[in-house]
């Protein structure tokens, strides 16, 4: 999200909608694309969301999943079967529950490393284990396709790329991690205030994911 992606989306949508017109051929030629005889096959592309707050309802307008589906998948005419979003709202939860309820008071990741002491902690541990498994499978899917061919993202207030905040391992992979204060503060207005933002974790692809080039 942010001005850079929105500028990119605007112009890609413009070129897709006007492909084949003399004006667009001239514009694309000026950008170095000389062969405009065949429009790009957008349905051949695989799209991976790079990060998401956890937990967050994917239908909430401030979720990145919602942003991806509306502004990228719909505008670009992508094949929905090749668009991977980070929908973690009810992942690992029993029927009728969601992670917003389970982690309303915050997230203690240590419950996956010890014996849960309450029924709620057992539910939380099951959910976090499911999220961790999701991250492993997400990473493997990206790598099985040869890695990321084109990456578009802004730079956060602390210099983060995706949600790889200051101090992230250069070989990090897709994972559940905690927001630092600067990033939480920047997201506070979208999440209902700093106290709510500070309770969130995020799922993000890693720096190693971005750099992977077999």
């Amino acid at each position: 999200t942010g001005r850079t992606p929105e500028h990119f989306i605007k112009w890609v949508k413009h070129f897709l909608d006007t492909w084949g017109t003399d004006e667009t051929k001239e514009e694309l030629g000026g950008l170095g694309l000389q062969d405009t005889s065949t429009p790009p096959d957008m349905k051949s592309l695989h799209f991976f969301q790079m990060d998401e707050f956890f937990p967050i309802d994917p239908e909430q307008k401030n979720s990145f999943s919602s942003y991806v589906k509306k502004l990228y998948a719909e505008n670009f005419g992508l094949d929905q079967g090749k668009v991977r979003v980070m929908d973690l709202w009810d992942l690992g939860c029993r029927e009728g529950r969601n992670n917003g309820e389970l982690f309303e008071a915050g997230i203690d990741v240590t419950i996956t490393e010890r014996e849960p002491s309450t029924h709620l902690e057992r539910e939380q541990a099951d959910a976090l284990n499911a999220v961790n498994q999701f991250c492993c499978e997400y990473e493997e899917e990206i790598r099985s396709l040869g890695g990321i061919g084109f990456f578009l993202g802004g730079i956060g207030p602390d210099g983060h790329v995706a949600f790889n905040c200051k101090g992230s391992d250069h070989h990090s992979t897709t994972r559940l991690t905690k927001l630092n204060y600067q990033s939480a503060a920047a997201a506070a207005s979208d999440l209902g205030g700093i106290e709510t933002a500070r309770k969130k974790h995020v799922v993000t692809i890693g720096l190693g994911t971005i750099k992977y080039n077999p």
Side-chain angles (χ1 to χ4, degrees), residues 20-47:
T21 65
D22 291 339
E23 180 182 356
T24 291
K25 288 180 180 178
E26 184 177 348
E27 285 183 284
L28 292 173
L31 294 171
L33 183 62
Q34 300 304 319
D35 183 5
T36 58
S37 58
T38 304
D41 181 10
M42 302 302 286
K43 292 190 179 299
S44 70
L45 300 178
H46 292 264
F47 185 104

Side-chain angles (χ1 to χ4, degrees), residues 14-213:
H14 165 71
F15 289 138
L16 290 174
D17 288 345
T18 61
W19 197 273
T21 65
D22 291 339
E23 180 182 356
T24 291
K25 288 180 180 178
E26 184 177 348
E27 285 183 284
L28 292 173
L31 294 171
L33 183 62
Q34 300 304 319
D35 183 5
T36 58
S37 58
T38 304
D41 181 10
M42 302 302 286
K43 292 190 179 299
S44 70
L45 300 178
H46 292 264
F47 185 104
F48 286 83
Q49 182 181 340
M50 65 182 178
D51 53 25
E52 183 60 283
F53 297 110
F54 179 81
I56 192 169
D57 186 340
E59 300 305 316
Q60 182 180 331
K61 66 177 182 179
N62 291 324
S63 77
F64 296 143
S65 295
S66 174
Y67 185 93
V68 162
K69 287 184 282 189
K70 180 179 180 181
L71 295 182
Y72 285 100
E74 292 180 14
N75 276 334
F76 293 177
L78 302 178
D79 180 345
Q80 296 291 341
K82 296 176 181 176
V83 177
R84 293 286 275 117
V85 296
M86 294 175 169
D87 180 358
L88 309 168
W89 186 236
D90 55 9
L91 185 68
C93 301
R94 60 180 174 80
E95 188 174 355
R97 297 277 271 173
N98 62 61
N99 284 313
E101 297 171 347
L102 296 188
F103 298 103
E104 185 176 6
I107 300 172
D108 175 11
V109 296
T110 68
I111 59 174
T112 62
E113 303 166 359
R114 58 177 171 80
E115 187 65 29
S117 60
T118 66
H119 180 69
L120 176 60
E121 282 196 349
R122 170 60 64 189
E123 286 189 278
Q124 291 173 333
D126 289 344
L128 291 179
N129 284 328
V131 171
N132 290 332
Q133 182 63 32
F134 170 91
C135 291
C136 291
E137 293 173 1
Y138 202 85
E139 181 76 19
E140 178 57 32
E141 187 173 357
I142 291 173
R143 292 179 181 243
S144 71
L145 291 168
I148 297 173
F150 177 78
F151 177 86
L152 176 68
I155 298 177
D158 69 330
H160 71 234
V161 177
F163 271 126
N164 294 284
C165 296
K166 182 179 179 181
S168 293
D169 191 308
H170 287 196
H171 303 290
S172 56
T173 56
T174 304
R175 66 202 186 280
L176 176 70
T177 188
K178 188 172 176 59
L179 280 174
N180 61 15
Y181 184 81
Q182 296 99 314
S183 299
S189 60
D190 291 332
L191 298 177
I194 188 62
E195 291 304 318
T196 301
R198 291 287 283 167
K199 293 177 183 178
K200 300 284 186 187
H201 276 47
V202 291
V203 169
T204 181
I205 61 172
L207 295 177
T209 317
I210 297 169
K211 296 188 301 177
Y212 178 71
N213 183 22

